[in-house]
Amino acid sequence: MNSTDTAQGQGNKTARPLSLSGHVGFDSLPHQLVNKSTCQGFCFNILCIGETGIGKSTLMNTLFNTNFENFESSHFEPNVKLSAKTYDLQEGNVRLKLTIVNTVGFGDQMNKQESYQHIVDYIDTQFESYLQEELKIKRSLHNYHDSRIHACLYFISPSGHSLKSLDLVTMKKLDSKVNIIPVIAKADTISKSELHKFKLKIMSELVSNGVQIYQFPTDDETVSSINSTMNGILPFAVVGSTEEVKIGNKMVKARQYPWGVVQVENENHCDFVKLREMLICVNMEDLREQTHSRHYELYRRCKLEEMGFRDTDPESKPVSLQETYESKRQEFQVELQRKEEEMRQSFVQRVKEKEMELKEKERELQTRFEQLKRMHQEEKAKLDEKRRMQEDEINIFSKKKAATELLQGQTFNTNSSNLKKDKDRKNAGFM
């Protein structure tokens, strides 16, 4: 093939079929992928939503034919809690890292308005963790433990009437974030006729309320027929049990009642086998792919748009990530400078206001000081005046005292003289 043929081949949207003259070997690609996937192993994460005691743990044990660690929870949880446990399973030479997330206390609160919010937050947290790993410079997605929810089994109480408001609200909030597969738990508690009507009622309510549940894919010819049939059976009516009962000559998983035995793996008794086949054997990889290509991509797109990233500019021209980053960086710098200028102006204004306040305080203190100074001078003048008056009074008192003492002295001398004369006269008379 020359360069002209190559250019023509690249220009045409339809590839030209070519016949090979010999064996090349790329027909081994599927085997290479199988060997690589087998070595790496798989992960699958299931979210079980349902009321306490509805049979979530029992169904998980029955689905994977094992006994997981289960702890009984009470009906008195103040809030909904999500408990995630991861198990390493192996079947043949295929390893599966299974994570089961259980909703503890779902529907047990008096106020059920925000019961779904904890579940939504948990799913978004797993998406955010994967997004942060993707955005790292040095990524390690090949050995990253993917905790995104691949399938949500929503357990519906076998009331036989209709869905609860909590069920409709929760599924509506989750249908854009996870693959919802509704199941009717403990389906052996209602009759077949009631069960059929209940299924129709549930699907009618889901459609009328706009709830998008997971539809098994029909684009693959190998599974389109069975998936189309199973889409018409939804929701699955299941019964779970780890107890074995002897039926004929073999032991089967069943629930034994006084009136008879309900076999878990008997399709005439319940849809457990259909659920297991659809969930694990046929559509597990599609559930993983839908989680990544649909739900995670929606979260990723919304998150990046919130951060300001776009694929096109306002003129609908393509924009690279680098251009968007530089644009956002410039916007951030401008915004940062604007905020810095606002803070500087605010600081200068506050300093001026503080200076004016201090000057006002200073003037008030100076006025107060002058007032106190005048009051001091006035008090001092009054005290000086009182001191002068007291000194004058003291001088007058001293003069009066001196005059009194002089007068008293003169009187004393006169009296003494008179007494002497009288004495002399008396002495002269005797003689």
Side-chain angles (χ1 to χ4, degrees), residues 19-20 73 80 86 94 99 156 187 217 222 243 254 276 286-287 306 315 329 340 389 396:
S19 59
L20 301 177
S73 58
V80 178
T86 302
V94 179
T99 300
I156 301 171
T222 58
E243 299 179 0
R276 183 176 61 187
D286 185 73
L287 287 165
E306 287 179 4
E315 299 178 357
R329 184 173 179 273
E340 184 179 356
M389 292 175 64
I396 294 171

Side-chain angles (χ1 to χ4, degrees), residues 343-398:
M343 291 180 65
R344 191 182 68 81
Q345 293 293 340
S346 176
F347 177 75
V348 171
Q349 183 65 25
R350 291 178 64 184
V351 169
K352 290 181 179 179
E353 291 176 357
K354 200 67 177 178
E355 287 180 349
M356 294 177 62
E357 184 179 351
L358 290 174
K359 287 181 180 179
E360 184 66 25
K361 293 290 184 183
E362 186 178 359
R363 285 195 295 269
E364 291 179 0
L365 290 174
Q366 185 66 29
T367 303
R368 182 64 177 166
F369 173 74
E370 294 294 338
Q371 184 180 2
L372 292 174
K373 186 177 180 181
R374 286 194 301 271
M375 291 175 63
H376 174 71
Q377 290 176 352
E378 291 175 358
E379 292 292 333
K380 184 179 179 182
K382 290 179 180 180
L383 290 174
D384 291 341
E385 182 66 24
K386 288 182 178 181
R387 185 177 62 183
R388 285 192 297 270
M389 292 175 64
Q390 287 180 352
E391 288 177 352
D392 293 342
E393 290 178 357
I394 291 172
N395 292 331
I396 294 171
F397 177 76
S398 298

Side-chain angles (χ1 to χ4, degrees), residues 18-34:
L18 294 176
S19 59
L20 301 177
S21 58
H23 181 262
V24 177
F26 55 76
D27 60 348
S28 65
L29 274 172
H31 303 290
Q32 295 177 31
L33 291 175
V34 169

